Amino acid sequence: MQKTCQTCKKDFEIRKEDLIFYEQVKTVPPLDCPDCRVMKRLAFRNERTFYKRSCDPCKKDIISLYPKSSPYPIYCNTCWWSDKWDPKSFAQDYDFKKTFFEQYRELQIKVPRLALMMLNSVRSEYTNGASDNKDCYLIFAAEYNEDCMYSRLIQKCKGCIDCAFIHQSELCYECIDVRECFKCMFCQECQSSTDLIFCYNMRNSNNCIFCTNGRNLSNAIFNVKYSKEEYEKKKNEIFSSYENLEKAKKEFKDLKSKTIVKYASATKCNNVTGNYLHNCYDGVRVFDTTGTKNCSYMADTEESIDSMDCNNFYYKNELCYNMMGVLQSSKSKNCAYVFYCNEVEYSENCHNLASGIGCNAIRKGQYMILNKEYSKEDFYKIKEQIDEQMKKDTTYGKFFPPELAPFGFNETLGYEYFPINEKEAKEKGFNWQEQVTGTYGKETIKEPEMPATIGEVTEDILNQVLVCKDCKKNFRITKGEFDFYKRMNLPLPHKDFECRHQDRMKKRNPRKLWHRNCMCELKTHQHGAQKCANEFETSYSPDRKEIVYCETCYQQEVS
Ligand SMILES: [Zn+2]
Ligand SMILES: [Zn+2]
Ligand SMILES: [Zn+2]
Ligand SMILES: [Zn+2]
Ligand SMILES: [Zn+2]
């Protein structure tokens, strides 16, 4: 079924499978296209824009997702979880003379919010959208890590720094989309490998530099075998100075752009479109996801089933629709940040809530509407009336309106994936943050005067204020980072964390799909003298340089 998006006016498709799902979770087909839907969810996720302020009750200096000027009460982790306040004390009676969202807004503005979103973590105060981490610093969308720093979307890793989208890896640096790797640096899309430097799409390989599409390869440079000594020599040369490292980065970029690529980075997947997938079955438009079955229009998801339109959706979720930031929840719709919840709608920051609508900051509860508890019978009676009311005012089945997002659009992941300007954002109903973070012009070392080699760097660097080459923001080197650079013999970075992260994001493909043909013309393949006839959905746009192959042709060439 073809529809026109009510927000951007572009045409989009609602599939037969989508309609069955909407029926199953008791919602109506969306009026927005998938992109407009995801923008509204991402507007609720400020991951990395941090402000210095104080905790409202205890006055302690904290780092927070909300500046001092934010209208919400902001609590540090200790205060938010303490028994000194009760979220249920904010309970509101439902008033059918007002709209649902008017009443939710009245509640939302009063209820304390967590300064940072972090659960079950030890000595990891500067982490956000994160749970079950130990001794980590500035990691985001991160679960079950130890001793990791400056990374986003990192799962079950140890001792990794400056990485993005990595799983079960150890001692990696500047790696993107790697899985089960050990001591790899500047690598992309590698799996089950050790000691790789500037490598792309390798499997079960070790001690390689500037290699692509290698399988069981060892001691190789540009995919040619070398001795262990040659490998060490090349490695030392690359890391000998900042200048040589920058040269190597350019060389790798060039190498990558000419390589053969598979239409999607997908391993152990079946019947799913999207990119950066592992162990996914049955779905469309799925990105950066591991272990899903029957999930569509998803991103940043781990181990979940039978859900649609969810982001940052982790561990054993099922039958959810239109959700942002979820851990172990089921049968829930249109929520932001719910953990261990069941049958919850239009709620934010709730834990262990079963059957709730319009709740905020509930830590344990059942049959609740606007933070007020009801009997089971009354709950379902009022819920039915709210559904009717929302159907009448056409808000039924839609996510929270953009103006209820507690952040400026430019502070959120929405801006990272859809970089629209202030005017456009406001036209779409999003908020905008005027305030800037960080300091400028306070540097004690100018960028061109940075030490060229790590050998010249002493612990005194920890007292210095550095300046980012790109955005001119000031930044510092932390002790853990210093120790890592020394141990790995790496020159100091000339950019702050955010610009380093943006550089990594630019190396990844966009969350968009184009319908294309396999580019293979190799006569030795099953298609013979004919060009391969296979078609696919790929995140490589038609104007890119890479040679894009279908699964069959790719496997014949690389294994
Ligand atoms: Zn749209
Ligand atoms: Zn506090
Ligand atoms: Zn910068
Ligand atoms: Zn092909
Ligand atoms: Zn072929």
Short mmCIF file of all heavy atoms in Angstrom, two decimals, residues 402-456:
data_model
loop_
_atom_site.label_atom_id
_atom_site.label_comp_id
_atom_site.label_asym_id
_atom_site.label_seq_id
_atom_site.Cartn_x
_atom_site.Cartn_y
_atom_site.Cartn_z
N PRO A 402 6.97 16.12 18.71
CA PRO A 402 8.38 16.56 18.78
C PRO A 402 8.64 17.59 19.88
O PRO A 402 9.71 17.60 20.48
CB PRO A 402 8.64 17.17 17.41
CG PRO A 402 7.53 16.74 16.54
CD PRO A 402 6.40 16.27 17.38
N GLU A 403 7.67 18.47 20.16
CA GLU A 403 7.93 19.51 21.16
C GLU A 403 8.04 18.95 22.58
O GLU A 403 8.52 19.62 23.48
CB GLU A 403 6.88 20.64 21.09
CG GLU A 403 5.45 20.22 21.32
CD GLU A 403 4.72 19.78 20.04
OE1 GLU A 403 5.40 19.43 19.04
OE2 GLU A 403 3.48 19.74 20.06
N LEU A 404 7.63 17.71 22.79
CA LEU A 404 7.80 17.10 24.12
C LEU A 404 9.19 16.49 24.31
O LEU A 404 9.53 16.02 25.40
CB LEU A 404 6.74 16.02 24.37
CG LEU A 404 5.29 16.48 24.58
CD1 LEU A 404 4.45 15.36 25.16
CD2 LEU A 404 5.21 17.69 25.50
N ALA A 405 10.00 16.47 23.25
CA ALA A 405 11.37 15.98 23.41
C ALA A 405 12.09 16.91 24.37
O ALA A 405 12.01 18.13 24.23
CB ALA A 405 12.08 15.94 22.06
N PRO A 406 12.78 16.37 25.38
CA PRO A 406 13.38 17.23 26.40
C PRO A 406 14.69 17.89 25.97
O PRO A 406 15.36 18.50 26.78
CB PRO A 406 13.62 16.25 27.55
CG PRO A 406 13.77 14.92 26.90
CD PRO A 406 12.91 14.94 25.68
N PHE A 407 15.04 17.75 24.68
CA PHE A 407 16.31 18.30 24.18
C PHE A 407 16.08 19.16 22.95
O PHE A 407 15.05 19.05 22.30
CB PHE A 407 17.26 17.17 23.79
CG PHE A 407 17.46 16.14 24.85
CD1 PHE A 407 16.94 14.87 24.70
CD2 PHE A 407 18.16 16.45 26.01
CE1 PHE A 407 17.11 13.90 25.69
CE2 PHE A 407 18.35 15.50 27.00
CZ PHE A 407 17.82 14.22 26.84
N GLY A 408 17.07 19.98 22.63
CA GLY A 408 17.08 20.63 21.33
C GLY A 408 17.43 19.57 20.29
O GLY A 408 18.24 18.69 20.57
N PHE A 409 16.83 19.64 19.11
CA PHE A 409 17.09 18.63 18.09
C PHE A 409 18.59 18.54 17.79
O PHE A 409 19.13 17.46 17.57
CB PHE A 409 16.32 18.97 16.81
CG PHE A 409 16.35 17.87 15.78
CD1 PHE A 409 15.63 16.70 15.97
CD2 PHE A 409 17.11 18.00 14.62
CE1 PHE A 409 15.66 15.68 15.03
CE2 PHE A 409 17.15 16.98 13.68
CZ PHE A 409 16.42 15.82 13.88
N ASN A 410 19.27 19.70 17.83
CA ASN A 410 20.71 19.74 17.53
C ASN A 410 21.57 19.11 18.62
O ASN A 410 22.77 18.98 18.46
CB ASN A 410 21.16 21.18 17.26
CG ASN A 410 20.72 22.15 18.33
OD1 ASN A 410 19.73 21.93 19.02
ND2 ASN A 410 21.45 23.24 18.48
N GLU A 411 20.98 18.72 19.74
CA GLU A 411 21.73 18.02 20.79
C GLU A 411 21.60 16.50 20.65
O GLU A 411 22.20 15.76 21.42
CB GLU A 411 21.17 18.39 22.17
CG GLU A 411 21.36 19.81 22.58
CD GLU A 411 20.62 20.10 23.88
OE1 GLU A 411 19.38 19.99 23.92
OE2 GLU A 411 21.28 20.44 24.86
N THR A 412 20.77 16.06 19.74
CA THR A 412 20.38 14.65 19.74
C THR A 412 20.98 13.85 18.58
O THR A 412 21.54 14.40 17.64
CB THR A 412 18.85 14.50 19.65
OG1 THR A 412 18.43 14.96 18.36
CG2 THR A 412 18.16 15.29 20.74
N LEU A 413 20.76 12.56 18.66
CA LEU A 413 21.14 11.65 17.59
C LEU A 413 20.35 11.97 16.31
O LEU A 413 20.79 11.66 15.21
CB LEU A 413 20.82 10.22 18.04
CG LEU A 413 21.86 9.15 17.79
CD1 LEU A 413 23.23 9.56 18.24
CD2 LEU A 413 21.45 7.86 18.49
N GLY A 414 19.19 12.59 16.46
CA GLY A 414 18.39 13.00 15.31
C GLY A 414 19.22 13.90 14.40
O GLY A 414 19.26 13.72 13.18
N TYR A 415 19.92 14.83 14.99
CA TYR A 415 20.74 15.78 14.24
C TYR A 415 21.93 15.08 13.58
O TYR A 415 22.36 15.45 12.50
CB TYR A 415 21.23 16.87 15.19
CG TYR A 415 21.96 18.00 14.51
CD1 TYR A 415 21.27 18.90 13.70
CD2 TYR A 415 23.33 18.17 14.67
CE1 TYR A 415 21.93 19.94 13.07
CE2 TYR A 415 24.00 19.21 14.05
CZ TYR A 415 23.30 20.09 13.25
OH TYR A 415 23.95 21.12 12.63
N GLU A 416 22.45 14.05 14.25
CA GLU A 416 23.58 13.31 13.68
C GLU A 416 23.17 12.59 12.39
O GLU A 416 23.91 12.57 11.42
CB GLU A 416 24.07 12.30 14.72
CG GLU A 416 25.29 11.54 14.28
CD GLU A 416 26.06 10.93 15.45
OE1 GLU A 416 25.87 11.36 16.61
OE2 GLU A 416 26.84 10.00 15.20
N TYR A 417 21.97 12.02 12.37
CA TYR A 417 21.53 11.29 11.18
C TYR A 417 20.74 12.15 10.20
O TYR A 417 20.66 11.84 9.02
CB TYR A 417 20.72 10.05 11.58
CG TYR A 417 21.61 8.94 12.10
CD1 TYR A 417 21.78 8.71 13.46
CD2 TYR A 417 22.33 8.14 11.21
CE1 TYR A 417 22.63 7.71 13.93
CE2 TYR A 417 23.18 7.15 11.66
CZ TYR A 417 23.32 6.93 13.02
OH TYR A 417 24.17 5.95 13.48
N PHE A 418 20.14 13.23 10.69
CA PHE A 418 19.37 14.15 9.83
C PHE A 418 19.79 15.58 10.16
O PHE A 418 19.10 16.28 10.90
CB PHE A 418 17.86 13.97 10.06
CG PHE A 418 17.36 12.58 9.82
CD1 PHE A 418 17.30 11.65 10.86
CD2 PHE A 418 16.96 12.19 8.55
CE1 PHE A 418 16.85 10.36 10.63
CE2 PHE A 418 16.50 10.89 8.32
CZ PHE A 418 16.45 9.98 9.36
N PRO A 419 20.93 16.03 9.61
CA PRO A 419 21.45 17.34 10.02
C PRO A 419 20.69 18.51 9.37
O PRO A 419 21.18 19.17 8.48
CB PRO A 419 22.92 17.29 9.56
CG PRO A 419 22.98 16.24 8.51
CD PRO A 419 21.81 15.33 8.68
N ILE A 420 19.49 18.79 9.85
CA ILE A 420 18.69 19.90 9.34
C ILE A 420 19.04 21.16 10.12
O ILE A 420 19.57 21.09 11.22
CB ILE A 420 17.17 19.61 9.45
CG1 ILE A 420 16.78 19.19 10.87
CG2 ILE A 420 16.77 18.54 8.44
CD1 ILE A 420 15.28 19.02 11.08
N ASN A 421 18.73 22.34 9.54
CA ASN A 421 19.06 23.58 10.25
C ASN A 421 17.94 23.99 11.21
O ASN A 421 16.88 23.38 11.26
CB ASN A 421 19.41 24.69 9.26
CG ASN A 421 18.23 25.05 8.37
OD1 ASN A 421 17.07 24.95 8.76
ND2 ASN A 421 18.53 25.46 7.14
N GLU A 422 18.21 25.05 11.95
CA GLU A 422 17.30 25.50 13.00
C GLU A 422 15.89 25.77 12.46
O GLU A 422 14.89 25.35 13.05
CB GLU A 422 17.87 26.76 13.67
CG GLU A 422 17.00 27.28 14.79
CD GLU A 422 17.60 28.48 15.52
OE1 GLU A 422 18.76 28.84 15.25
OE2 GLU A 422 16.88 29.05 16.36
N LYS A 423 15.84 26.45 11.31
CA LYS A 423 14.55 26.83 10.74
C LYS A 423 13.72 25.58 10.40
O LYS A 423 12.56 25.46 10.80
CB LYS A 423 14.79 27.67 9.48
CG LYS A 423 13.55 28.30 8.90
CD LYS A 423 13.91 29.32 7.81
CE LYS A 423 12.69 29.66 6.97
NZ LYS A 423 12.45 28.70 5.88
N GLU A 424 14.37 24.65 9.70
CA GLU A 424 13.69 23.40 9.32
C GLU A 424 13.23 22.62 10.55
O GLU A 424 12.12 22.09 10.58
CB GLU A 424 14.66 22.50 8.55
CG GLU A 424 14.64 22.66 7.05
CD GLU A 424 15.69 21.73 6.44
OE1 GLU A 424 16.88 22.15 6.39
OE2 GLU A 424 15.34 20.61 6.06
N ALA A 425 14.12 22.55 11.54
CA ALA A 425 13.80 21.80 12.75
C ALA A 425 12.57 22.40 13.44
O ALA A 425 11.65 21.68 13.83
CB ALA A 425 14.99 21.79 13.70
N LYS A 426 12.56 23.72 13.55
CA LYS A 426 11.43 24.39 14.21
C LYS A 426 10.14 24.22 13.42
O LYS A 426 9.07 24.06 14.00
CB LYS A 426 11.76 25.86 14.46
CG LYS A 426 12.75 26.02 15.63
CD LYS A 426 13.06 27.46 15.93
CE LYS A 426 13.87 27.56 17.23
NZ LYS A 426 14.43 28.91 17.40
N GLU A 427 10.26 24.24 12.08
CA GLU A 427 9.06 24.02 11.25
C GLU A 427 8.46 22.65 11.50
O GLU A 427 7.25 22.46 11.42
CB GLU A 427 9.43 24.16 9.77
CG GLU A 427 9.39 25.59 9.27
CD GLU A 427 10.07 25.77 7.92
OE1 GLU A 427 10.38 24.75 7.26
OE2 GLU A 427 10.32 26.93 7.56
N LYS A 428 9.35 21.67 11.77
CA LYS A 428 8.87 20.32 12.05
C LYS A 428 8.42 20.15 13.50
O LYS A 428 8.07 19.06 13.92
CB LYS A 428 9.96 19.30 11.73
CG LYS A 428 10.19 19.09 10.23
CD LYS A 428 11.33 18.09 10.02
CE LYS A 428 11.80 18.02 8.58
NZ LYS A 428 10.89 17.31 7.68
N GLY A 429 8.51 21.22 14.28
CA GLY A 429 8.04 21.17 15.67
C GLY A 429 9.10 20.80 16.69
O GLY A 429 8.81 20.68 17.88
N PHE A 430 10.35 20.60 16.25
CA PHE A 430 11.41 20.23 17.20
C PHE A 430 11.90 21.45 17.98
O PHE A 430 11.81 22.58 17.51
CB PHE A 430 12.60 19.61 16.46
CG PHE A 430 12.29 18.29 15.81
CD1 PHE A 430 12.24 18.17 14.43
CD2 PHE A 430 12.04 17.17 16.59
CE1 PHE A 430 11.95 16.95 13.83
CE2 PHE A 430 11.75 15.94 15.99
CZ PHE A 430 11.70 15.84 14.60
N ASN A 431 12.47 21.20 19.14
CA ASN A 431 13.11 22.26 19.92
C ASN A 431 14.52 22.47 19.38
O ASN A 431 15.05 21.65 18.65
CB ASN A 431 13.19 21.85 21.40
CG ASN A 431 11.81 21.54 21.96
OD1 ASN A 431 10.88 22.29 21.76
ND2 ASN A 431 11.68 20.40 22.63
N TRP A 432 15.15 23.57 19.80
CA TRP A 432 16.51 23.88 19.35
C TRP A 432 17.31 24.42 20.52
O TRP A 432 16.79 25.22 21.30
CB TRP A 432 16.46 24.92 18.22
CG TRP A 432 17.74 25.02 17.46
CD1 TRP A 432 18.71 25.98 17.64
CD2 TRP A 432 18.21 24.15 16.42
NE1 TRP A 432 19.75 25.75 16.76
CE2 TRP A 432 19.47 24.64 16.01
CE3 TRP A 432 17.69 23.01 15.81
CZ2 TRP A 432 20.21 24.02 15.00
CZ3 TRP A 432 18.42 22.40 14.81
CH2 TRP A 432 19.67 22.90 14.41
N GLN A 433 18.53 23.98 20.68
CA GLN A 433 19.37 24.44 21.80
C GLN A 433 20.32 25.53 21.33
O GLN A 433 21.10 25.33 20.41
CB GLN A 433 20.16 23.25 22.36
CG GLN A 433 21.08 23.57 23.52
CD GLN A 433 20.34 24.12 24.72
OE1 GLN A 433 20.37 25.31 24.99
NE2 GLN A 433 19.65 23.25 25.45
N GLU A 434 20.25 26.70 21.97
CA GLU A 434 21.11 27.83 21.59
C GLU A 434 22.47 27.74 22.29
O GLU A 434 23.48 28.18 21.77
CB GLU A 434 20.48 29.17 22.01
CG GLU A 434 19.03 29.35 21.61
CD GLU A 434 18.87 29.74 20.16
OE1 GLU A 434 19.87 30.15 19.55
OE2 GLU A 434 17.75 29.59 19.62
N GLN A 435 22.44 27.18 23.50
CA GLN A 435 23.64 27.18 24.33
C GLN A 435 24.74 26.28 23.78
O GLN A 435 24.46 25.19 23.30
CB GLN A 435 23.24 26.68 25.72
CG GLN A 435 24.13 27.17 26.81
CD GLN A 435 23.51 26.84 28.17
OE1 GLN A 435 22.30 26.96 28.35
NE2 GLN A 435 24.34 26.42 29.09
N VAL A 436 26.00 26.72 23.85
CA VAL A 436 27.10 25.88 23.40
C VAL A 436 27.81 25.25 24.59
O VAL A 436 27.78 25.78 25.69
CB VAL A 436 28.13 26.66 22.54
CG1 VAL A 436 27.54 27.04 21.21
CG2 VAL A 436 28.65 27.87 23.29
N THR A 437 28.43 24.11 24.35
CA THR A 437 29.14 23.43 25.43
C THR A 437 30.65 23.61 25.23
O THR A 437 31.10 23.93 24.14
CB THR A 437 28.84 21.92 25.42
OG1 THR A 437 29.27 21.40 24.15
CG2 THR A 437 27.37 21.64 25.59
N GLY A 438 31.41 23.39 26.29
CA GLY A 438 32.87 23.40 26.20
C GLY A 438 33.46 24.79 26.17
O GLY A 438 32.76 25.80 26.24
N THR A 439 34.80 24.85 26.08
CA THR A 439 35.49 26.14 26.04
C THR A 439 36.31 26.27 24.76
O THR A 439 36.67 25.28 24.13
CB THR A 439 36.46 26.30 27.24
OG1 THR A 439 37.52 25.34 27.10
CG2 THR A 439 35.75 26.10 28.57
N TYR A 440 36.58 27.51 24.40
CA TYR A 440 37.39 27.81 23.21
C TYR A 440 38.49 28.79 23.60
O TYR A 440 38.30 29.63 24.48
CB TYR A 440 36.50 28.44 22.13
CG TYR A 440 35.45 27.51 21.59
CD1 TYR A 440 34.23 27.34 22.25
CD2 TYR A 440 35.68 26.77 20.43
CE1 TYR A 440 33.26 26.47 21.77
CE2 TYR A 440 34.72 25.90 19.94
CZ TYR A 440 33.51 25.76 20.61
OH TYR A 440 32.56 24.89 20.13
N GLY A 441 39.62 28.70 22.94
CA GLY A 441 40.68 29.69 23.12
C GLY A 441 41.46 29.60 24.42
O GLY A 441 42.25 30.47 24.73
N LYS A 442 41.24 28.54 25.21
CA LYS A 442 41.95 28.41 26.48
C LYS A 442 43.17 27.48 26.37
O LYS A 442 43.77 27.10 27.37
CB LYS A 442 41.01 27.85 27.56
CG LYS A 442 39.78 28.71 27.85
CD LYS A 442 40.00 29.58 29.07
CE LYS A 442 38.70 30.20 29.58
NZ LYS A 442 38.17 31.24 28.69
N GLU A 443 43.55 27.11 25.15
CA GLU A 443 44.61 26.12 24.98
C GLU A 443 45.97 26.62 25.47
O GLU A 443 46.30 27.79 25.33
CB GLU A 443 44.73 25.66 23.51
CG GLU A 443 44.96 26.74 22.49
CD GLU A 443 43.65 27.29 21.92
OE1 GLU A 443 42.61 27.18 22.60
OE2 GLU A 443 43.68 27.82 20.81
N THR A 444 46.74 25.67 26.05
CA THR A 444 48.09 25.99 26.49
C THR A 444 49.12 25.47 25.49
O THR A 444 50.29 25.80 25.56
CB THR A 444 48.36 25.37 27.88
OG1 THR A 444 48.08 23.96 27.82
CG2 THR A 444 47.50 26.01 28.95
N ILE A 445 48.66 24.60 24.56
CA ILE A 445 49.52 24.16 23.45
C ILE A 445 48.73 24.38 22.16
O ILE A 445 47.59 23.94 22.05
CB ILE A 445 49.88 22.65 23.55
CG1 ILE A 445 50.62 22.35 24.86
CG2 ILE A 445 50.72 22.21 22.35
CD1 ILE A 445 51.00 20.89 25.03
N LYS A 446 49.33 25.08 21.21
CA LYS A 446 48.65 25.28 19.92
C LYS A 446 48.77 24.01 19.08
O LYS A 446 49.73 23.25 19.23
CB LYS A 446 49.28 26.47 19.20
CG LYS A 446 49.07 27.77 19.95
CD LYS A 446 48.96 28.94 19.01
CE LYS A 446 48.35 30.17 19.63
NZ LYS A 446 48.72 30.44 21.03
N GLU A 447 47.82 23.80 18.20
CA GLU A 447 47.77 22.54 17.44
C GLU A 447 49.06 22.26 16.66
O GLU A 447 49.60 21.15 16.74
CB GLU A 447 46.53 22.53 16.53
CG GLU A 447 46.15 21.15 16.03
CD GLU A 447 46.63 20.87 14.62
OE1 GLU A 447 46.66 21.80 13.79
OE2 GLU A 447 47.01 19.73 14.35
N PRO A 448 49.63 23.24 15.94
CA PRO A 448 50.87 22.93 15.19
C PRO A 448 52.06 22.62 16.10
O PRO A 448 53.05 22.06 15.65
CB PRO A 448 51.13 24.21 14.39
CG PRO A 448 49.87 24.99 14.43
CD PRO A 448 49.18 24.62 15.70
N GLU A 449 51.95 22.99 17.39
CA GLU A 449 53.06 22.73 18.32
C GLU A 449 52.93 21.42 19.09
O GLU A 449 53.70 21.14 20.00
CB GLU A 449 53.18 23.90 19.31
CG GLU A 449 53.70 25.17 18.66
CD GLU A 449 53.25 26.43 19.38
OE1 GLU A 449 52.87 26.35 20.57
OE2 GLU A 449 53.25 27.50 18.74
N MET A 450 51.96 20.61 18.71
CA MET A 450 51.77 19.32 19.39
C MET A 450 52.99 18.44 19.14
O MET A 450 53.54 18.44 18.05
CB MET A 450 50.53 18.62 18.82
CG MET A 450 49.22 19.26 19.21
SD MET A 450 48.62 18.73 20.81
CE MET A 450 47.91 17.14 20.38
N PRO A 451 53.41 17.66 20.16
CA PRO A 451 54.55 16.76 19.96
C PRO A 451 54.29 15.77 18.81
O PRO A 451 53.21 15.19 18.74
CB PRO A 451 54.68 16.02 21.28
CG PRO A 451 53.49 16.39 22.10
CD PRO A 451 52.86 17.59 21.51
N ALA A 452 55.26 15.60 17.92
CA ALA A 452 55.06 14.77 16.73
C ALA A 452 55.07 13.28 17.05
O ALA A 452 54.40 12.49 16.40
CB ALA A 452 56.13 15.08 15.69
N THR A 453 55.85 12.89 18.07
CA THR A 453 55.92 11.47 18.42
C THR A 453 55.50 11.28 19.87
O THR A 453 55.58 12.21 20.67
CB THR A 453 57.36 10.94 18.27
OG1 THR A 453 58.17 11.59 19.25
CG2 THR A 453 57.93 11.20 16.88
N ILE A 454 55.09 10.07 20.21
CA ILE A 454 54.66 9.80 21.58
C ILE A 454 55.87 9.79 22.53
O ILE A 454 55.74 10.10 23.71
CB ILE A 454 53.83 8.49 21.68
CG1 ILE A 454 53.16 8.34 23.05
CG2 ILE A 454 54.66 7.26 21.34
CD1 ILE A 454 52.05 9.31 23.35
N GLY A 455 57.05 9.51 21.98
CA GLY A 455 58.28 9.51 22.78
C GLY A 455 58.53 10.83 23.49
O GLY A 455 59.02 10.87 24.61
N GLU A 456 58.15 11.92 22.82
CA GLU A 456 58.39 13.26 23.40
C GLU A 456 57.38 13.63 24.49
O GLU A 456 57.54 14.63 25.17
CB GLU A 456 58.27 14.34 22.32
CG GLU A 456 59.19 14.19 21.15
CD GLU A 456 58.68 14.95 19.93
OE1 GLU A 456 58.35 16.14 20.06
OE2 GLU A 456 58.58 14.33 18.86
#
